[in-house]
Each structure stands twice: as structure tokens, then as C-alpha cells.
Amino acid sequence: MKSELVKPTHLARRAVVYVRQSRPHQVVNNQESLRLQYALRQRAIELGWHQSDIEVIDADLGISAASAAQRSGFKELVGRVGLKEIGLILSIEVTRLARNCSDWYPLLDICGLHGCLIADRDGVYDPGSANGRLLLGLKGTISELELHTIHGRLTTGLLAKAERGELALKLPIGLVRDPSGVVVKDPNVEVQERLELLFETFLKLRTVAKVMREFNERDLELPRRDCHGDLHWTRATASAVAATLKNPAYAGAFVYGRTQMRQSSDGKSRMRHVVAPFSR
């Protein structure tokens, strides 16, 4: 299907199909979505591009569009639009390009400035025209709101269970759940004794550094479990000692929400400590 927005100046450049899915398991399990996205090459042909002038950028498979910081494919796309190499960006829907208005509107600006069209399954848009920018702007805003709605829907249940103290969080070393779900001490006596000694030593020495030195001088290692649940013994470090001493689970308390992920100006997510909203 042709579009009156496609001009010879657009056809003289490349058409790029941008392929993305948010998570690795979607890449593996949702092959139909991938097939539909790669099939957009045929849509570019229908709009007038030759097969040799159509490219696919799929470097961002398995990466969320919430930020452009980790998406090398998106950065390449924006850079090539700025170099006037691309006349058309094709995506199954604009949410594949960006779910953040701070990334979406700069893309619209550079596409409008350099005469690059954007197309999805609903149609072809010219970001340089008032009507095209309006429609794309609305799609981008709705996409950002949709991401917020999805996140809220996923976390509402978790917060409700946490408020009741029923959310089954990962337990620290030395604590396990019995078949009924009740938290009890690890049946490994050596683990129990080592943790008890750690707390007793802190009560006597009063500082994390002194506890660490005491354990290392006596060649006493701390128990740890890896991601598979296997028990390992490691040399005591200040961070490991402090993390154990500060963990509220050893005091029989349930706490949730002590840390939050916040995105910094460089696009990287960083953890910050906050007052726990739920504790009991």
C-alpha cells in the first residue's frame, strides 16, 4: 500500500525496520511477534523501497524501551537519522521505539528536521508536519502512560501481600522455610553456631571492623549460599558482616521496600535506601 507522504527524497535513503522485545524470555517464547516485526520488510517494499535498500536493526532484542541508555540499536538509529541516511523508520508499533517521552520527542525532532518518516502498522507519519507530530506525540504519551500502568498493575499485588506481611522474600543465610511456609533456623548446626558467634562477637567488640578482624585472625569463615542454594564458606569482609548484623530478619522482623531503584541523569539505574513502607 502506497502513501502520499513517501517522496523520492525518502526513497533515495534507506528504510530501517526496528525490531525489539522487552525481555529475553519474550524473545524465546513469543516468536510470532518477532515474525511479524521482521515481516515489516515487505511493508517497506510496498511503500516503494527496493529490497537492497531495507535494513533491520535488532540489536535491542530483550531490552526494555523505558530508557535509551542501554539500547545500542536505538542510538544507532538516531545517529543515522541525523546523518540523513534514513528516509523511513518502520516498527510494528511506536512503543517498540520508546516508552519514555524524553527519548521519544528528541527522535521526533531529529526526524522532522532531516525529513525521515515513521511508520507502524496503523500508517505512515511525517514528524515534520503538525498533524504527524500530533499523532506521534499522542502515541508516545499513551505509550509512556501504558508502561506506568503495567508497572503499577504488576506491583499492586506485591504491595498488598507485603502490607499483610505475607510476601515470601528471599531469606538470609541461617533461615529457611519449613514445608508449611514458617520461617525457622537452618538445620545446619555449624551455620547456626557461626551466626550466633558473629552476633555475640559484635556485642562484645561493638564495631564491624573489629568483628571482621577477629574472625579473620581466628580463620573463621562466614556461611553463604549461591544462586543455586548451595552452601559456601567465605572469608569475612566488612560488608558481609555489616549486612548480616543489619538484616532485620534475624530479629524476627518482616521489612519490605527499604530500597528503591532510581534512574540517574546518565540513564543508569541506581539503588537508594528509603524508609521501609511495610514492616512488622
Side-chain angles (χ1 to χ4, degrees):
M1 182 186 300
K2 296 286 186 177
S3 171
E4 62 182 15
L5 294 176
V6 178
K7 308 296 182 184
T9 53
H10 300 121
L11 295 173
R13 305 179 191 174
R14 315 285 283 185
V16 172
V17 177
Y18 181 77
V19 177
R20 187 193 64 78
Q21 286 182 297
S22 297
R23 304 188 185 282
H25 75 85
Q26 292 179 338
V27 178
V28 175
N29 299 323
N30 196 352
Q31 292 292 311
E32 183 63 18
S33 174
L34 275 181
R35 186 190 67 79
L36 290 173
Q37 292 186 65
Y38 283 113
L40 288 173
R41 296 175 64 96
Q42 182 59 39
R43 171 76 168 131
I45 293 174
E46 293 172 357
L47 288 170
W49 271 265
H50 295 293
Q51 181 74 33
S52 59
D53 293 328
I54 303 170
E55 298 181 19
V56 174
I57 292 181
D58 55 7
D60 297 338
L61 281 173
I63 303 176
S64 171
S67 170
Q70 308 300 321
R71 292 194 290 149
S72 60
F74 183 79
K75 292 177 181 178
E76 176 192 348
L77 185 68
V78 173
R80 293 182 62 186
V81 170
L83 294 173
K84 298 183 179 180
E85 296 180 4
I86 299 176
L88 175 71
I89 298 173
L90 276 157
S91 181
I92 194 73
E93 54 190 22
V94 295
T95 58
R96 301 294 179 182
L97 289 165
R99 282 189 177 273
N100 188 322
C101 286
S102 62
D103 298 326
W104 179 236
Y105 280 102
L107 176 64
L108 297 189
D109 289 339
I110 197 168
C111 285
L113 179 64
H114 296 293
C116 177
L117 303 176
I118 295 177
D120 61 12
R121 59 186 174 185
D122 295 327
V124 181
Y125 312 94
D126 179 8
S129 69
N131 187 58
R133 186 176 177 84
L134 173 63
L135 292 174
L136 289 170
L138 287 173
K139 283 175 174 278
T141 301
I142 293 171
S143 173
E144 186 176 57
L145 177 62
E146 184 183 29
L147 183 64
H148 175 76
T149 303
I150 292 172
H151 182 266
R153 190 163 57 240
L154 291 174
T155 57
T156 297
L158 289 178
L159 294 175
K161 292 186 71 174
E163 192 169 9
R164 297 194 303 269
E166 298 175 0
L167 184 61
L169 301 175
K170 181 180 178 181
L171 295 173
I173 187 71
L175 298 176
V176 296
R177 287 186 176 85
D178 65 13
S180 64
V182 176
V183 178
V184 297
K185 288 185 177 180
D186 193 314
N188 188 316
V189 177
E190 189 177 7
V191 171
Q192 289 187 35
E193 292 177 346
R194 190 60 53 84
L195 290 173
E196 290 173 0
L197 177 61
L198 177 68
F199 284 100
E200 291 171 359
T201 304
F202 178 73
L203 290 175
K204 181 176 64 175
L205 301 179
R206 310 304 297 178
T207 70
V208 169
K210 289 180 180 180
V211 172
M212 179 191 68
R213 286 196 295 269
E214 176 76 9
F215 266 60
N216 290 334
E217 288 171 1
R218 296 171 58 183
D219 290 327
L220 296 172
E221 295 182 319
L222 295 177
R224 286 288 177 269
R225 292 197 184 277
D226 60 21
C227 59
H228 303 292
D230 297 325
L231 178 64
H232 297 280
W233 294 86
T234 60
R235 181 178 175 83
T237 62
S239 60
V241 172
T244 301
L245 294 173
K246 292 179 179 179
N247 197 311
Y250 293 117
F254 173 86
V255 177
Y256 178 78
R258 291 190 300 165
T259 58
Q260 292 181 355
M261 295 298 293
R262 285 289 183 268
Q263 194 170 48
S264 59
S265 57
D266 60 3
K268 295 182 179 179
S269 296
R270 289 184 171 83
M271 191 84 71
R272 74 181 185 98
H273 288 271
V274 296
V275 176
F278 304 120
S279 60
R280 55 189 302 169

